[in-house]
């Protein structure tokens, strides 16, 4: 089966599901297909069983003018078919065979997300348009090529083995940085002037499961607008907020006890605030949040982990949400953490 989808900046994108979907999209006129999302998930889609045959990507050869491709399955061994899509701009691929990719024929590549990038070489990317890259299981040899892309604005590294942030912070146009399940060994302790400037230019920073003290990095991020800190066990103080005058959104989730929310209270305003999970406020009363002006509805959730009285939650300004159900909290956090394309 096939479904029409919409992605910002792309028209005529089709979700293709299982072999029936392949058969259906091959019946369409090539001019009606600018993008393909090939998946085995979605409403009304029966689960894949072990007895079913593996699908082939051969059908992509019928659409040489594709601008957009997402393949969310991982068992393809004919992934080299993608190398012939010379007009590709947006590529998301999850495959154990991603080291078969050769980007030298994709001069217009703008967005790249590769989930299994351990042996992938980015040296073959010749596009000057690359603005967004997301790498999973990246190694030092993978990220060392990032400084080649002068227009790179967004970098995400998930489960990466990084010795340093240095290659990442060489991109002069970098605005968004996401580090998930990886902590560089140097932890930003000896940042150069160039790297400090790169951090200062960031507009969005996400640290997830960051096992070192994030403050050396945060203290250099003076122009952040959105900050997401989730599962950062060594986060203790919010003093870095004093040097972030443009911060619009702050999410603190599943961290260890905070000393105080006073740096937030002193700001007097923030557009969006989320404090959730096991983030415990040691001494402050939430009543002071009355003096913080917010444009969007704030969230204070999972209160059983807080060292606060129930009266503190009752004193929250009108419009605050307070979740106790862990499942509802997880749903909320997932929706909030989805990256915007």
């Amino acid at each position: 089966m096939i479904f029409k989808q919409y992605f910002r900046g792309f028209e005529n994108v089709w979700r293709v599901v299982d072999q029936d979907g392949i058969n259906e999209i091959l019946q369409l006129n090539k001019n009606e297909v600018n993008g393909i999302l090939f998946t085995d998930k979605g409403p009304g889609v029966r689960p894949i069983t072990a007895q079913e045959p593996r699908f082939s990507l051969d059908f992509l050869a019928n659409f040489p003018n594709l601008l957009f491709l997402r393949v969310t399955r991982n068992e393809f061994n004919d992934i080299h078919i993608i190398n012939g899509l010379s007009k590709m701009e947006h590529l998301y691929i999850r495959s154990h065979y991603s080291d078969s990719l050769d980007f030298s024929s994709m001069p217009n590549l703008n967005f790249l997300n590769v989930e299994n990038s351990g042996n992938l070489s980015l040296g073959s990317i010749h596009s000057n348009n690359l603005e967004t890259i997301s790498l999973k299981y990246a190694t030092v040899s993978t990220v060392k090529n990032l400084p080649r892309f002068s227009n790179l604005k967004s970098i995400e590294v998930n489960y990466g083995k990084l010795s340093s942030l240095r290659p990442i912070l060489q991109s002069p146009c970098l605005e968004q940085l996401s580090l998930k399940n990886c902590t560089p060994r140097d932890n930003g302790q000896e940042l150069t002037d160039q790297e400090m400037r790169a951090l200062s230019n960031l507009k969005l920073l996400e640290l997830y499961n960051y096992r070192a003290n994030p403050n050396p990095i945060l203290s250099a991020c003076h122009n952040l607008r959105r900050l997401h800190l989730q599962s950062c066990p060594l986060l203790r103080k919010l003093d870095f907020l004093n040097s972030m005058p443009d911060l619009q959104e702050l999410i603190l989730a599943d961290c260890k006890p905070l000393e105080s929310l006073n740096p937030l209270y002193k700001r007097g305003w923030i557009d969006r605030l989320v404090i959730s999970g096991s983030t415990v406020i040691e001494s402050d009363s939430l009543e002071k949040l009355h003096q913080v002006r917010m444009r969007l509805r704030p969230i204070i959730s999972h209160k059983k982990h807080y060292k606060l009285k129930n009266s503190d939650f009752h004193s929250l300004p009108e419009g605050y949400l307070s979740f106790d159900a862990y499942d509802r909290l997880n749903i909320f956090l997932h929706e909030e953490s989805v990256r915007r394309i």
Side-chain angles (χ1 to χ4, degrees), residues 236-300:
R236 291 291 186 270
K237 298 182 179 181
L238 299 181
D239 293 346
F240 54 82
L241 292 177
N242 298 327
S243 59
M244 297 179 181
D246 298 326
L247 192 66
Q248 299 171 2
E249 178 177 280
L250 174 63
I251 294 181
L252 300 171
D254 299 318
C255 298
K256 295 294 183 180
L258 298 173
E259 290 186 4
S260 173
L261 284 179
N262 267 326
L264 175 62
Y265 299 151
K266 290 179 180 178
R267 293 177 60 86
W269 64 270
I270 194 167
D271 282 358
R272 180 71 165 166
L273 173 66
V274 178
I275 303 176
S276 57
S278 58
T279 302
V280 182
I281 304 163
E282 287 283 4
S283 58
D284 294 345
S285 168
L286 293 178
E287 188 173 358
K288 292 183 181 179
L289 283 174
H290 281 284
Q291 65 195 46
V292 181
R293 294 183 294 107
M294 302 182 201
R295 184 173 61 86
L296 299 174
R297 184 169 56 180
I299 306 292
I300 305 292

Side-chain angles (χ1 to χ4, degrees), residues 66-79:
L66 279 183
L67 304 176
F68 178 106
L69 177 64
R70 288 193 170 199
V71 179
T72 63
R73 298 171 58 86
N74 60 14
E75 69 270 29
F76 301 105
N77 56 12
D78 55 354
I79 195 174

Side-chain angles (χ1 to χ4, degrees), residues 167-190:
I168 293 176
L169 297 179
Q170 300 301 310
S171 302
C173 298
L174 189 64
E175 296 181 356
Q176 301 183 10
L177 175 61
S178 178
L179 300 177
K180 299 182 178 181
N181 302 296
C182 60
T183 306
R185 289 196 295 271
D186 65 4
N187 187 34
Q189 297 288 351
E190 299 180 1

Side-chain angles (χ1 to χ4, degrees), residues 77-81 83 96-102 119-120:
N77 56 12
D78 55 354
I79 195 174
H80 61 275
I81 298 294
N83 295 332
H96 298 309
Y97 304 96
S98 57
D99 53 354
S100 300
L101 290 172
D102 178 8
N119 296 319
L120 182 69

Side-chain angles (χ1 to χ4, degrees), residues 31-309:
N31 296 327
E32 297 180 72
V33 183
N34 291 332
I36 290 177
L37 171 60
F38 189 38
T39 179
D40 54 3
K41 300 178 180 179
V45 179
R46 59 189 177 87
I48 300 297
T49 66
Q51 289 73 32
E52 291 184 89
R54 294 181 176 181
F55 301 110
S56 171
L57 293 177
D58 285 345
F59 76 98
L60 293 176
N62 292 275
F63 304 97
N65 296 323
L66 279 183
L67 304 176
F68 178 106
L69 177 64
R70 288 193 170 199
V71 179
T72 63
R73 298 171 58 86
N74 60 14
E75 69 270 29
F76 301 105
N77 56 12
D78 55 354
I79 195 174
H80 61 275
I81 298 294
I82 296 174
N83 295 332
L85 304 176
S86 59
K87 295 188 178 181
M88 187 61 58
E89 297 178 4
H90 180 113
L91 178 60
Y92 176 110
I93 188 75
R94 184 180 70 195
S95 173
H96 298 309
Y97 304 96
S98 57
D99 53 354
S100 300
L101 290 172
D102 178 8
F103 305 103
S104 60
S105 61
M106 301 180 190
N108 301 316
L109 197 62
N110 176 270
F111 175 101
L112 176 63
N113 185 315
V114 184
E115 287 207 357
N116 293 290
S117 58
N119 296 319
L120 182 69
S121 172
L122 301 179
S124 63
I125 299 180
H126 297 160
S127 172
N128 294 322
N129 300 324
L130 191 66
E131 294 185 356
T132 301
I133 189 165
S134 180
L135 303 169
K136 193 171 183 179
Y137 303 114
T139 62
V140 174
S141 61
T142 308
V143 298
K144 72 178 183 181
N145 286 295
L146 292 179
R148 297 178 59 249
F149 310 115
S150 58
N151 292 312
L152 201 56
K153 295 181 179 179
S154 177
I155 297 175
E156 176 178 327
V157 180
N158 194 359
Y159 290 105
K161 295 181 179 180
L162 305 181
S163 58
S164 172
L165 280 175
R166 188 149 297 164
I168 293 176
L169 297 179
Q170 300 301 310
S171 302
C173 298
L174 189 64
E175 296 181 356
Q176 301 183 10
L177 175 61
S178 178
L179 300 177
K180 299 182 178 181
N181 302 296
C182 60
T183 306
R185 289 196 295 271
D186 65 4
N187 187 34
Q189 297 288 351
E190 299 180 1
L191 294 170
T192 65
D193 290 343
Q194 180 183 2
E195 292 159 356
M196 294 281 283
R197 286 194 296 272
L199 287 170
S200 180
N201 290 333
L202 290 180
K203 301 297 187 294
L204 178 149
L205 177 64
E206 294 179 328
L207 299 179
Y208 176 82
N209 195 21
Y210 194 83
R211 314 308 292 179
N213 182 2
N215 285 77
I217 294 176
L218 294 173
S219 61
C221 299
H222 303 306
N223 293 298
L224 277 186
R225 296 177 184 173
R226 299 171 56 209
L227 175 60
H228 297 185
L229 300 174
Q230 184 167 345
S231 300
C232 297
L234 297 185
L235 178 68
R236 291 291 186 270
K237 298 182 179 181
L238 299 181
D239 293 346
F240 54 82
L241 292 177
N242 298 327
S243 59
M244 297 179 181
D246 298 326
L247 192 66
Q248 299 171 2
E249 178 177 280
L250 174 63
I251 294 181
L252 300 171
D254 299 318
C255 298
K256 295 294 183 180
L258 298 173
E259 290 186 4
S260 173
L261 284 179
N262 267 326
L264 175 62
Y265 299 151
K266 290 179 180 178
R267 293 177 60 86
W269 64 270
I270 194 167
D271 282 358
R272 180 71 165 166
L273 173 66
V274 178
I275 303 176
S276 57
S278 58
T279 302
V280 182
I281 304 163
E282 287 283 4
S283 58
D284 294 345
S285 168
L286 293 178
E287 188 173 358
K288 292 183 181 179
L289 283 174
H290 281 284
Q291 65 195 46
V292 181
R293 294 183 294 107
M294 302 182 201
R295 184 173 61 86
L296 299 174
R297 184 169 56 180
I299 306 292
I300 305 292
S301 57
H302 218 190
K303 65 183 181 182
K304 69 180 181 180
H305 287 280
Y306 290 75
K307 292 183 178 180
L308 296 167
K309 301 176 182 178

